[in-house]
Amino acid sequence: MTKQQLDDAIAGLLRAGATYTVITEQLGVGRCRIVRVRDQYGITLPPGRAKRTRSELDAVTPKVLDMLRVGATIEAIYRETHVSRNRIVELRKRHQVSVPKRTYPSRTFAQALALHTEPFGDGHLRWIGPSRGRTPVLYAEHGCHNARHVIFRRRYGCAPLGYVRTTCTAPGCIADDHLADDISYRNPAISQAAAITYLLSKGATDWQIACHLGASAQAINRIRTQLKDKDAAHAP
C-alpha cells in the first residue's frame, strides 16, 4: 500500500466514524498521522465527539449530576453523555455527591474461582476473570479481593507477606502450587534462620513467621535477640 493509499484508507475510516484507537489497530498508523489526514481532508468529528463549548458543557451538567445521584457508574455516564471521566469525578466532588455503596456477589471463593479460572498445560491455572491493571480481581463473599492473595491463603492457610508472584514460567499462571509471596525462604537454599531474619526485617509478627515457616517461638526469639545484640554492637 502506497502512502497515498494509506492516507485514503485512514480518511475512509474517519468518515465512517472510526476512533483513533480502531484506526491504529487496523492500519498500524500513529495518532499524529491520523490527525494530519483529518486536517488535510477536512474531515470533521462525528456528532457528540467534537470538543464542546463551555455553554454546551454547562447544559449537560444537570444530566450528569442526576445520573450520579441515582447511582450510575462513571462509565455509564460517560457512554450516555460523552462527558470526560475526569469531569464527572470533578462534578461529583464539587457537588458532594456521595459514591454509592457497591454490592458484591454473594458467591463463595470456591465458586468464584471455578467461574474465573481454567486449567491449561501441565498443572497450570489461567485467570480469565476481571482485572485491575495486572491484578486479577475476585468478587466474592460480599467483597473485592486480590485473586492471588485468596488462592495463596487457601493453599497455605495464612495471608501472604508482601507481593505474591508466579514461580513457574507459564504466562498468567495462578495455580496455588505456583504462587509465592515476598519471602526468600521459599528458595530451598536459604536456611530457616535466614528466613526468620528476613521476615523480622520486614516487620512480620511471630504468628506470621510461625505460620509461614513452622518455626518455634524459641527459634524466633533467638534470632530476634541476635539481631538486637548485633545492632547494639554497631551502635555509636
Side-chain angles (χ1 to χ4, degrees), residues 105-182:
S106 59
R107 63 174 70 100
T108 65
F109 287 137
Q111 290 171 333
L113 288 171
L115 179 65
H116 295 309
T117 58
E118 62 180 16
F120 73 100
D122 185 15
H124 302 294
L125 192 67
R126 178 184 293 114
W127 178 256
I128 56 174
S131 299
R132 290 179 181 172
R134 298 176 61 183
T135 302
V137 178
L138 192 68
Y139 295 103
E141 299 194 10
H142 307 289
C144 175
H145 311 271
N146 183 317
R148 290 193 186 93
H149 289 194
V150 171
I151 295 171
F152 186 95
R153 283 197 301 269
R154 288 166 59 87
R155 172 65 176 82
Y156 296 103
C158 57
L161 295 177
Y163 182 73
V164 178
R165 57 180 56 80
T166 302
T167 59
C168 67
T169 58
C173 178
I174 58 171
D176 56 4
D177 289 337
H178 300 173
L179 295 179
D181 60 1
D182 190 24

Side-chain angles (χ1 to χ4, degrees), residues 27-233:
L27 300 178
V29 295
R31 179 184 179 88
C32 291
R33 182 163 191 165
I34 300 172
V35 172
R36 178 182 62 75
V37 170
R38 182 186 290 282
D39 292 340
Q40 180 180 333
Y41 285 68
I43 302 170
T44 59
L45 287 166
R49 280 170 47 196
K51 188 174 182 179
R52 290 170 169 162
T53 64
R54 172 54 58 182
S55 60
E56 290 174 330
L57 285 173
D58 291 342
V60 78
T61 294
K63 182 174 183 178
V64 173
L65 291 173
D66 288 342
M67 295 183 72
L68 284 171
R69 290 179 178 124
V70 299
T73 64
I74 290 177
E75 286 301 317
I77 298 172
Y78 170 75
R79 289 193 298 268
E80 178 71 21
T81 65
H82 298 290
V83 173
S84 72
R85 297 169 182 84
N86 288 341
R87 179 165 175 80
I88 296 170
V89 173
E90 177 191 343
L91 289 172
R92 183 195 291 282
K93 292 179 179 178
R94 184 191 307 169
H95 295 271
Q96 298 181 342
V97 181
S98 60
V99 179
K101 186 177 180 180
R102 188 168 185 174
T103 57
Y104 296 103
S106 59
R107 63 174 70 100
T108 65
F109 287 137
Q111 290 171 333
L113 288 171
L115 179 65
H116 295 309
T117 58
E118 62 180 16
F120 73 100
D122 185 15
H124 302 294
L125 192 67
R126 178 184 293 114
W127 178 256
I128 56 174
S131 299
R132 290 179 181 172
R134 298 176 61 183
T135 302
V137 178
L138 192 68
Y139 295 103
E141 299 194 10
H142 307 289
C144 175
H145 311 271
N146 183 317
R148 290 193 186 93
H149 289 194
V150 171
I151 295 171
F152 186 95
R153 283 197 301 269
R154 288 166 59 87
R155 172 65 176 82
Y156 296 103
C158 57
L161 295 177
Y163 182 73
V164 178
R165 57 180 56 80
T166 302
T167 59
C168 67
T169 58
C173 178
I174 58 171
D176 56 4
D177 289 337
H178 300 173
L179 295 179
D181 60 1
D182 190 24
I183 303 176
S184 57
Y185 82 86
R186 293 193 178 281
N187 184 333
I190 296 177
S191 66
Q192 186 185 75
I196 294 174
T197 301
Y198 174 83
L199 291 176
L200 287 173
S201 71
K202 294 295 183 180
T205 65
D206 288 9
W207 180 87
Q208 289 174 319
I209 296 173
C211 179
H212 281 76
L213 297 176
S216 66
Q218 291 82 357
I220 298 171
N221 287 330
R222 183 172 63 252
I223 298 298
R224 182 181 285 109
T225 301
Q226 292 173 0
L227 292 174
K228 288 181 178 178
D229 292 343
K230 184 177 180 180
D231 290 340

